[in-house]
Amino acid sequence: MLRRPAGFQVAALCHRHGPGGIEVLMITSRETQRWILPKGWPMYGTDGGGTALQEAWEEAGVKPRGGKPLKICSYRYDKVLDGGLPLPTDVDVYAIAVEKLYDSFPEAGQRTRRWMSPEAAAAIVAEPQLAALLRALPDLPDGAPSP
């Protein structure tokens, strides 16, 4: 049977240390309003970490704390394309420590964003592998530049 090759995207797991511990920034998708991580297709002329930074800015208004984004894991989900066809898509996830969120950013008004615990985020995402990733979140870098 012929099968379409898997797609590939890059996601930003934006995080901070809140009063109750680590918090992750979740956003809604533009069309279905599902809770997701900021993510997108690879960008020409940049690596995965650079793409993750760009998606975090465009989709969530993130100003990173500093340091280079660190690839922490991958997951797979079915991206539904125009016309309703699913495309198996592999996603590399990069951790980005957040210094602040801007109110004005390219997709402001098109998405909702919310800080939450990894456990709360895992409970509301639709992708099983993303939920498992959030439940087993590794130690995250704080984003401080290396000495």
Side-chain angles (χ1 to χ4, degrees):
M1 180 174 186
L2 293 177
R3 215 187 316 194
R4 151 185 280 165
F8 176 73
Q9 291 187 309
V10 175
L13 188 122
C14 303
H15 62 91
R16 70 179 184 187
H17 290 279
I22 194 79
E23 295 177 329
V24 296
L25 182 65
M26 302 300 294
I27 63 170
T28 55
S29 64
R30 287 189 292 188
E31 293 180 19
T32 63
Q33 298 299 298
R34 291 176 304 111
W35 288 101
I36 62 171
L37 298 176
K39 68 179 178 305
W41 305 106
M43 296 178 185
Y44 181 77
T46 188
D47 63 5
T51 297
L53 286 168
Q54 186 65 31
E55 293 298 337
W57 161 246
E58 290 178 3
E59 297 183 0
V62 167
K63 177 182 180 186
R65 185 159 176 239
K68 184 176 177 163
L70 175 68
K71 182 180 171 191
I72 58 169
C73 58
S74 299
Y75 71 97
R76 179 175 268 202
Y77 80 111
D78 284 332
K79 171 131 181 101
V80 179
L81 302 174
D82 293 338
L85 293 175
L87 172 66
T89 302
D90 295 318
V91 181
D92 283 353
V93 180
Y94 287 79
I96 297 175
V98 176
E99 182 174 314
K100 72 183 268 185
L101 297 178
Y102 288 99
D103 292 330
S104 179
F105 56 97
E107 296 182 14
Q110 299 175 41
R111 300 177 185 274
T112 300
R113 58 187 181 178
R114 186 170 302 146
W115 288 108
M116 58 186 75
S117 71
E119 297 80 20
I124 62 169
V125 297
E127 296 86 5
Q129 287 189 17
L130 177 55
L133 173 160
L134 290 162
R135 285 188 190 98
L137 205 59
D139 287 336
L140 298 172
D142 67 2
S146 301

PDB file of all heavy atoms in Angstrom, residues 40-71:
ATOM      1  N   GLY A  40       5.443  24.801  14.166  1.00  0.00           N
ATOM      2  CA  GLY A  40       5.288  25.062  12.745  1.00  0.00           C
ATOM      3  C   GLY A  40       6.278  24.260  11.934  1.00  0.00           C
ATOM      4  O   GLY A  40       7.088  23.492  12.457  1.00  0.00           O
ATOM      5  N   TRP A  41       6.205  24.463  10.617  1.00  0.00           N
ATOM      6  CA  TRP A  41       7.077  23.782   9.681  1.00  0.00           C
ATOM      7  C   TRP A  41       8.474  24.373   9.775  1.00  0.00           C
ATOM      8  O   TRP A  41       8.623  25.547  10.122  1.00  0.00           O
ATOM      9  CB  TRP A  41       6.533  23.915   8.262  1.00  0.00           C
ATOM     10  CG  TRP A  41       5.125  23.426   8.137  1.00  0.00           C
ATOM     11  CD1 TRP A  41       3.999  24.198   7.996  1.00  0.00           C
ATOM     12  CD2 TRP A  41       4.666  22.075   8.175  1.00  0.00           C
ATOM     13  NE1 TRP A  41       2.873  23.410   7.935  1.00  0.00           N
ATOM     14  CE2 TRP A  41       3.251  22.091   8.045  1.00  0.00           C
ATOM     15  CE3 TRP A  41       5.306  20.840   8.308  1.00  0.00           C
ATOM     16  CZ2 TRP A  41       2.491  20.932   8.041  1.00  0.00           C
ATOM     17  CZ3 TRP A  41       4.531  19.687   8.306  1.00  0.00           C
ATOM     18  CH2 TRP A  41       3.148  19.731   8.167  1.00  0.00           C
ATOM     19  N   PRO A  42       9.521  23.596   9.475  1.00  0.00           N
ATOM     20  CA  PRO A  42      10.889  24.133   9.497  1.00  0.00           C
ATOM     21  C   PRO A  42      11.000  25.362   8.601  1.00  0.00           C
ATOM     22  O   PRO A  42      10.306  25.476   7.586  1.00  0.00           O
ATOM     23  CB  PRO A  42      11.739  22.982   8.952  1.00  0.00           C
ATOM     24  CG  PRO A  42      10.923  21.754   9.173  1.00  0.00           C
ATOM     25  CD  PRO A  42       9.486  22.186   9.061  1.00  0.00           C
ATOM     26  N   MET A  43      11.876  26.269   9.000  1.00  0.00           N
ATOM     27  CA  MET A  43      12.074  27.508   8.251  1.00  0.00           C
ATOM     28  C   MET A  43      13.431  27.477   7.565  1.00  0.00           C
ATOM     29  O   MET A  43      14.437  27.105   8.191  1.00  0.00           O
ATOM     30  CB  MET A  43      11.999  28.704   9.195  1.00  0.00           C
ATOM     31  CG  MET A  43      10.655  28.872   9.830  1.00  0.00           C
ATOM     32  SD  MET A  43      10.656  30.255  10.965  1.00  0.00           S
ATOM     33  CE  MET A  43       9.019  30.088  11.652  1.00  0.00           C
ATOM     34  N   TYR A  44      13.439  27.884   6.324  1.00  0.00           N
ATOM     35  CA  TYR A  44      14.678  27.921   5.554  1.00  0.00           C
ATOM     36  C   TYR A  44      15.668  28.871   6.217  1.00  0.00           C
ATOM     37  O   TYR A  44      15.298  29.976   6.621  1.00  0.00           O
ATOM     38  CB  TYR A  44      14.386  28.370   4.122  1.00  0.00           C
ATOM     39  CG  TYR A  44      15.614  28.418   3.255  1.00  0.00           C
ATOM     40  CD1 TYR A  44      16.165  27.239   2.748  1.00  0.00           C
ATOM     41  CD2 TYR A  44      16.240  29.614   2.975  1.00  0.00           C
ATOM     42  CE1 TYR A  44      17.296  27.268   1.967  1.00  0.00           C
ATOM     43  CE2 TYR A  44      17.384  29.655   2.193  1.00  0.00           C
ATOM     44  CZ  TYR A  44      17.913  28.476   1.687  1.00  0.00           C
ATOM     45  OH  TYR A  44      19.047  28.510   0.926  1.00  0.00           O
ATOM     46  N   GLY A  45      16.914  28.430   6.339  1.00  0.00           N
ATOM     47  CA  GLY A  45      17.963  29.289   6.855  1.00  0.00           C
ATOM     48  C   GLY A  45      18.111  29.287   8.363  1.00  0.00           C
ATOM     49  O   GLY A  45      18.902  30.053   8.908  1.00  0.00           O
ATOM     50  N   THR A  46      17.361  28.447   9.065  1.00  0.00           N
ATOM     51  CA  THR A  46      17.500  28.369  10.518  1.00  0.00           C
ATOM     52  C   THR A  46      17.429  26.917  10.962  1.00  0.00           C
ATOM     53  O   THR A  46      16.885  26.069  10.255  1.00  0.00           O
ATOM     54  CB  THR A  46      16.427  29.234  11.228  1.00  0.00           C
ATOM     55  OG1 THR A  46      16.723  29.276  12.628  1.00  0.00           O
ATOM     56  CG2 THR A  46      15.039  28.695  11.035  1.00  0.00           C
ATOM     57  N   ASP A  47      17.976  26.643  12.131  1.00  0.00           N
ATOM     58  CA  ASP A  47      17.923  25.283  12.673  1.00  0.00           C
ATOM     59  C   ASP A  47      16.634  25.098  13.476  1.00  0.00           C
ATOM     60  O   ASP A  47      15.802  26.007  13.554  1.00  0.00           O
ATOM     61  CB  ASP A  47      19.166  24.987  13.509  1.00  0.00           C
ATOM     62  CG  ASP A  47      19.301  25.886  14.734  1.00  0.00           C
ATOM     63  OD1 ASP A  47      18.399  26.697  15.028  1.00  0.00           O
ATOM     64  OD2 ASP A  47      20.335  25.774  15.416  1.00  0.00           O
ATOM     65  N   GLY A  48      16.495  23.926  14.092  1.00  0.00           N
ATOM     66  CA  GLY A  48      15.284  23.637  14.859  1.00  0.00           C
ATOM     67  C   GLY A  48      15.061  24.608  16.003  1.00  0.00           C
ATOM     68  O   GLY A  48      13.937  25.061  16.237  1.00  0.00           O
ATOM     69  N   GLY A  49      16.118  24.942  16.725  1.00  0.00           N
ATOM     70  CA  GLY A  49      15.988  25.887  17.831  1.00  0.00           C
ATOM     71  C   GLY A  49      15.553  27.259  17.352  1.00  0.00           C
ATOM     72  O   GLY A  49      14.723  27.921  17.983  1.00  0.00           O
ATOM     73  N   GLY A  50      16.090  27.693  16.226  1.00  0.00           N
ATOM     74  CA  GLY A  50      15.696  28.984  15.662  1.00  0.00           C
ATOM     75  C   GLY A  50      14.247  28.992  15.219  1.00  0.00           C
ATOM     76  O   GLY A  50      13.517  29.973  15.417  1.00  0.00           O
ATOM     77  N   THR A  51      13.798  27.887  14.635  1.00  0.00           N
ATOM     78  CA  THR A  51      12.391  27.773  14.240  1.00  0.00           C
ATOM     79  C   THR A  51      11.497  27.805  15.476  1.00  0.00           C
ATOM     80  O   THR A  51      10.467  28.483  15.489  1.00  0.00           O
ATOM     81  CB  THR A  51      12.147  26.482  13.435  1.00  0.00           C
ATOM     82  OG1 THR A  51      12.905  26.549  12.221  1.00  0.00           O
ATOM     83  CG2 THR A  51      10.683  26.291  13.101  1.00  0.00           C
ATOM     84  N   ALA A  52      11.892  27.101  16.540  1.00  0.00           N
ATOM     85  CA  ALA A  52      11.099  27.095  17.777  1.00  0.00           C
ATOM     86  C   ALA A  52      10.981  28.506  18.351  1.00  0.00           C
ATOM     87  O   ALA A  52       9.897  28.925  18.785  1.00  0.00           O
ATOM     88  CB  ALA A  52      11.719  26.151  18.801  1.00  0.00           C
ATOM     89  N   LEU A  53      12.083  29.260  18.355  1.00  0.00           N
ATOM     90  CA  LEU A  53      12.038  30.645  18.843  1.00  0.00           C
ATOM     91  C   LEU A  53      11.087  31.497  18.010  1.00  0.00           C
ATOM     92  O   LEU A  53      10.300  32.290  18.552  1.00  0.00           O
ATOM     93  CB  LEU A  53      13.435  31.265  18.825  1.00  0.00           C
ATOM     94  CG  LEU A  53      14.406  30.799  19.897  1.00  0.00           C
ATOM     95  CD1 LEU A  53      15.820  31.278  19.581  1.00  0.00           C
ATOM     96  CD2 LEU A  53      13.961  31.276  21.273  1.00  0.00           C
ATOM     97  N   GLN A  54      11.151  31.340  16.692  1.00  0.00           N
ATOM     98  CA  GLN A  54      10.283  32.124  15.812  1.00  0.00           C
ATOM     99  C   GLN A  54       8.812  31.786  16.039  1.00  0.00           C
ATOM    100  O   GLN A  54       7.956  32.674  16.100  1.00  0.00           O
ATOM    101  CB  GLN A  54      10.675  31.904  14.347  1.00  0.00           C
ATOM    102  CG  GLN A  54       9.931  32.777  13.376  1.00  0.00           C
ATOM    103  CD  GLN A  54      10.235  34.261  13.541  1.00  0.00           C
ATOM    104  OE1 GLN A  54      11.338  34.637  13.935  1.00  0.00           O
ATOM    105  NE2 GLN A  54       9.274  35.108  13.256  1.00  0.00           N
ATOM    106  N   GLU A  55       8.495  30.495  16.163  1.00  0.00           N
ATOM    107  CA  GLU A  55       7.106  30.089  16.402  1.00  0.00           C
ATOM    108  C   GLU A  55       6.618  30.596  17.761  1.00  0.00           C
ATOM    109  O   GLU A  55       5.478  31.036  17.890  1.00  0.00           O
ATOM    110  CB  GLU A  55       6.967  28.570  16.306  1.00  0.00           C
ATOM    111  CG  GLU A  55       7.201  28.009  14.916  1.00  0.00           C
ATOM    112  CD  GLU A  55       6.218  28.489  13.863  1.00  0.00           C
ATOM    113  OE1 GLU A  55       5.088  28.907  14.193  1.00  0.00           O
ATOM    114  OE2 GLU A  55       6.590  28.454  12.668  1.00  0.00           O
ATOM    115  N   ALA A  56       7.484  30.535  18.782  1.00  0.00           N
ATOM    116  CA  ALA A  56       7.101  31.030  20.109  1.00  0.00           C
ATOM    117  C   ALA A  56       6.767  32.517  20.054  1.00  0.00           C
ATOM    118  O   ALA A  56       5.825  32.978  20.707  1.00  0.00           O
ATOM    119  CB  ALA A  56       8.219  30.763  21.116  1.00  0.00           C
ATOM    120  N   TRP A  57       7.520  33.284  19.276  1.00  0.00           N
ATOM    121  CA  TRP A  57       7.248  34.712  19.131  1.00  0.00           C
ATOM    122  C   TRP A  57       5.953  34.957  18.348  1.00  0.00           C
ATOM    123  O   TRP A  57       5.058  35.666  18.803  1.00  0.00           O
ATOM    124  CB  TRP A  57       8.418  35.428  18.443  1.00  0.00           C
ATOM    125  CG  TRP A  57       8.001  36.749  17.879  1.00  0.00           C
ATOM    126  CD1 TRP A  57       7.943  37.107  16.571  1.00  0.00           C
ATOM    127  CD2 TRP A  57       7.526  37.883  18.615  1.00  0.00           C
ATOM    128  NE1 TRP A  57       7.466  38.383  16.445  1.00  0.00           N
ATOM    129  CE2 TRP A  57       7.198  38.885  17.685  1.00  0.00           C
ATOM    130  CE3 TRP A  57       7.332  38.135  19.970  1.00  0.00           C
ATOM    131  CZ2 TRP A  57       6.704  40.126  18.063  1.00  0.00           C
ATOM    132  CZ3 TRP A  57       6.831  39.380  20.352  1.00  0.00           C
ATOM    133  CH2 TRP A  57       6.531  40.351  19.402  1.00  0.00           C
ATOM    134  N   GLU A  58       5.847  34.345  17.151  1.00  0.00           N
ATOM    135  CA  GLU A  58       4.705  34.614  16.287  1.00  0.00           C
ATOM    136  C   GLU A  58       3.385  34.174  16.903  1.00  0.00           C
ATOM    137  O   GLU A  58       2.379  34.867  16.797  1.00  0.00           O
ATOM    138  CB  GLU A  58       4.880  33.909  14.937  1.00  0.00           C
ATOM    139  CG  GLU A  58       5.959  34.493  14.070  1.00  0.00           C
ATOM    140  CD  GLU A  58       6.144  33.738  12.763  1.00  0.00           C
ATOM    141  OE1 GLU A  58       5.385  32.784  12.489  1.00  0.00           O
ATOM    142  OE2 GLU A  58       7.077  34.103  12.018  1.00  0.00           O
ATOM    143  N   GLU A  59       3.370  33.008  17.544  1.00  0.00           N
ATOM    144  CA  GLU A  59       2.122  32.428  18.028  1.00  0.00           C
ATOM    145  C   GLU A  59       1.794  32.771  19.470  1.00  0.00           C
ATOM    146  O   GLU A  59       0.639  32.664  19.873  1.00  0.00           O
ATOM    147  CB  GLU A  59       2.160  30.904  17.847  1.00  0.00           C
ATOM    148  CG  GLU A  59       2.250  30.502  16.385  1.00  0.00           C
ATOM    149  CD  GLU A  59       2.215  29.005  16.151  1.00  0.00           C
ATOM    150  OE1 GLU A  59       2.126  28.222  17.133  1.00  0.00           O
ATOM    151  OE2 GLU A  59       2.267  28.607  14.977  1.00  0.00           O
ATOM    152  N   ALA A  60       2.800  33.172  20.268  1.00  0.00           N
ATOM    153  CA  ALA A  60       2.541  33.390  21.694  1.00  0.00           C
ATOM    154  C   ALA A  60       3.170  34.654  22.269  1.00  0.00           C
ATOM    155  O   ALA A  60       2.977  34.948  23.439  1.00  0.00           O
ATOM    156  CB  ALA A  60       3.016  32.170  22.491  1.00  0.00           C
ATOM    157  N   GLY A  61       3.937  35.406  21.497  1.00  0.00           N
ATOM    158  CA  GLY A  61       4.536  36.637  22.009  1.00  0.00           C
ATOM    159  C   GLY A  61       5.617  36.430  23.039  1.00  0.00           C
ATOM    160  O   GLY A  61       5.806  37.254  23.932  1.00  0.00           O
ATOM    161  N   VAL A  62       6.368  35.346  22.918  1.00  0.00           N
ATOM    162  CA  VAL A  62       7.384  34.986  23.908  1.00  0.00           C
ATOM    163  C   VAL A  62       8.682  35.762  23.688  1.00  0.00           C
ATOM    164  O   VAL A  62       9.202  35.805  22.569  1.00  0.00           O
ATOM    165  CB  VAL A  62       7.666  33.469  23.857  1.00  0.00           C
ATOM    166  CG1 VAL A  62       8.932  33.100  24.622  1.00  0.00           C
ATOM    167  CG2 VAL A  62       6.472  32.695  24.380  1.00  0.00           C
ATOM    168  N   LYS A  63       9.192  36.343  24.770  1.00  0.00           N
ATOM    169  CA  LYS A  63      10.561  36.850  24.804  1.00  0.00           C
ATOM    170  C   LYS A  63      11.353  35.826  25.603  1.00  0.00           C
ATOM    171  O   LYS A  63      11.096  35.629  26.801  1.00  0.00           O
ATOM    172  CB  LYS A  63      10.650  38.212  25.480  1.00  0.00           C
ATOM    173  CG  LYS A  63      12.101  38.693  25.566  1.00  0.00           C
ATOM    174  CD  LYS A  63      12.235  40.009  26.275  1.00  0.00           C
ATOM    175  CE  LYS A  63      13.711  40.403  26.301  1.00  0.00           C
ATOM    176  NZ  LYS A  63      13.928  41.597  27.095  1.00  0.00           N
ATOM    177  N   PRO A  64      12.325  35.142  24.965  1.00  0.00           N
ATOM    178  CA  PRO A  64      13.078  34.115  25.692  1.00  0.00           C
ATOM    179  C   PRO A  64      13.985  34.727  26.747  1.00  0.00           C
ATOM    180  O   PRO A  64      14.404  35.876  26.636  1.00  0.00           O
ATOM    181  CB  PRO A  64      13.892  33.428  24.594  1.00  0.00           C
ATOM    182  CG  PRO A  64      13.973  34.416  23.493  1.00  0.00           C
ATOM    183  CD  PRO A  64      12.754  35.283  23.584  1.00  0.00           C
ATOM    184  N   ARG A  65      14.257  33.937  27.754  1.00  0.00           N
ATOM    185  CA  ARG A  65      15.117  34.389  28.851  1.00  0.00           C
ATOM    186  C   ARG A  65      16.570  34.459  28.423  1.00  0.00           C
ATOM    187  O   ARG A  65      17.358  35.215  28.970  1.00  0.00           O
ATOM    188  CB  ARG A  65      14.954  33.455  30.045  1.00  0.00           C
ATOM    189  CG  ARG A  65      15.725  33.923  31.244  1.00  0.00           C
ATOM    190  CD  ARG A  65      15.183  33.322  32.520  1.00  0.00           C
ATOM    191  NE  ARG A  65      16.055  33.775  33.588  1.00  0.00           N
ATOM    192  CZ  ARG A  65      16.724  32.977  34.377  1.00  0.00           C
ATOM    193  NH1 ARG A  65      16.589  31.681  34.264  1.00  0.00           N
ATOM    194  NH2 ARG A  65      17.496  33.462  35.305  1.00  0.00           N
ATOM    195  N   GLY A  66      16.946  33.696  27.473  1.00  0.00           N
ATOM    196  CA  GLY A  66      18.332  33.658  27.006  1.00  0.00           C
ATOM    197  C   GLY A  66      18.780  32.227  26.853  1.00  0.00           C
ATOM    198  O   GLY A  66      18.038  31.294  27.149  1.00  0.00           O
ATOM    199  N   GLY A  67      19.971  32.051  26.387  1.00  0.00           N
ATOM    200  CA  GLY A  67      20.449  30.694  26.164  1.00  0.00           C
ATOM    201  C   GLY A  67      19.845  30.121  24.896  1.00  0.00           C
ATOM    202  O   GLY A  67      18.877  30.637  24.350  1.00  0.00           O
ATOM    203  N   LYS A  68      20.426  29.049  24.432  1.00  0.00           N
ATOM    204  CA  LYS A  68      19.979  28.409  23.204  1.00  0.00           C
ATOM    205  C   LYS A  68      18.858  27.410  23.513  1.00  0.00           C
ATOM    206  O   LYS A  68      18.958  26.667  24.485  1.00  0.00           O
ATOM    207  CB  LYS A  68      21.168  27.704  22.557  1.00  0.00           C
ATOM    208  CG  LYS A  68      20.860  27.087  21.238  1.00  0.00           C
ATOM    209  CD  LYS A  68      22.096  26.481  20.608  1.00  0.00           C
ATOM    210  CE  LYS A  68      21.658  25.820  19.312  1.00  0.00           C
ATOM    211  NZ  LYS A  68      22.747  25.542  18.433  1.00  0.00           N
ATOM    212  N   PRO A  69      17.793  27.375  22.692  1.00  0.00           N
ATOM    213  CA  PRO A  69      16.751  26.358  22.909  1.00  0.00           C
ATOM    214  C   PRO A  69      17.369  24.961  22.871  1.00  0.00           C
ATOM    215  O   PRO A  69      18.272  24.689  22.076  1.00  0.00           O
ATOM    216  CB  PRO A  69      15.791  26.559  21.739  1.00  0.00           C
ATOM    217  CG  PRO A  69      16.017  27.967  21.303  1.00  0.00           C
ATOM    218  CD  PRO A  69      17.479  28.236  21.551  1.00  0.00           C
ATOM    219  N   LEU A  70      16.884  24.095  23.735  1.00  0.00           N
ATOM    220  CA  LEU A  70      17.416  22.745  23.856  1.00  0.00           C
ATOM    221  C   LEU A  70      16.370  21.735  23.401  1.00  0.00           C
ATOM    222  O   LEU A  70      15.239  21.743  23.911  1.00  0.00           O
ATOM    223  CB  LEU A  70      17.788  22.470  25.318  1.00  0.00           C
ATOM    224  CG  LEU A  70      18.260  21.066  25.654  1.00  0.00           C
ATOM    225  CD1 LEU A  70      19.619  20.796  25.005  1.00  0.00           C
ATOM    226  CD2 LEU A  70      18.350  20.890  27.169  1.00  0.00           C
ATOM    227  N   LYS A  71      16.735  20.868  22.444  1.00  0.00           N
ATOM    228  CA  LYS A  71      15.810  19.806  22.027  1.00  0.00           C
ATOM    229  C   LYS A  71      15.681  18.819  23.173  1.00  0.00           C
ATOM    230  O   LYS A  71      16.676  18.276  23.643  1.00  0.00           O
ATOM    231  CB  LYS A  71      16.310  19.103  20.769  1.00  0.00           C
ATOM    232  CG  LYS A  71      15.346  18.030  20.305  1.00  0.00           C
ATOM    233  CD  LYS A  71      15.845  17.326  19.066  1.00  0.00           C
ATOM    234  CE  LYS A  71      14.956  16.126  18.804  1.00  0.00           C
ATOM    235  NZ  LYS A  71      15.520  15.252  17.795  1.00  0.00           N
TER     236      LYS A  71
END
